[in-house]
Amino acid sequence: MMLSELPRRTQAIVDSVQDRGPNDTIARRLRELGFVSGEPVEVVARGPIGADPILVQIGFTRFALRRSEAGRVRLRDGEPA
């Protein structure tokens, strides 16, 4: 499942961030912000128009991501610890 598909207020664990080409700056920036394997993540809210942007909490920090950006974050199968 991708982060863009995660229902609101459901916790999950980040598996990986997908690169869409060499030197993918968006994927690199997501990893720098903390979207790395093993981190718990939750969708807090969605925007009113087309569910864009998505308010995401990772750790104690919240980020507003476009759905296309959240669609690069792959989540693990299974429940968070």
Side-chain angles (χ1 to χ4, degrees):
M1 173 188 294
M2 305 309 282
L3 179 56
S4 58
E5 303 165 349
L6 187 66
R8 266 182 83 234
R9 296 295 180 188
T10 302
Q11 288 194 352
I13 301 293
V14 173
D15 182 45
S16 63
V17 176
Q18 296 180 334
D19 289 285
R20 295 200 178 150
N23 297 324
D24 187 340
T25 57
I26 294 173
R28 184 181 70 230
R29 184 67 178 143
L30 287 169
R31 285 188 285 271
E32 289 171 353
L33 291 172
F35 292 88
V36 294
S37 182
E39 286 297 317
V41 66
E42 177 182 350
V43 173
V44 177
R46 295 184 185 273
I49 300 175
D52 215 3
I54 299 172
L55 181 61
V56 176
Q57 182 164 332
I58 188 155
F60 295 105
T61 307
R62 291 183 176 188
F63 298 100
L65 301 177
R66 294 181 187 99
R67 280 185 18 207
S68 62
E69 294 166 343
R72 294 172 180 237
V73 179
R74 180 171 298 286
L75 303 175
R76 281 189 196 161
D77 291 336
E79 296 295 316

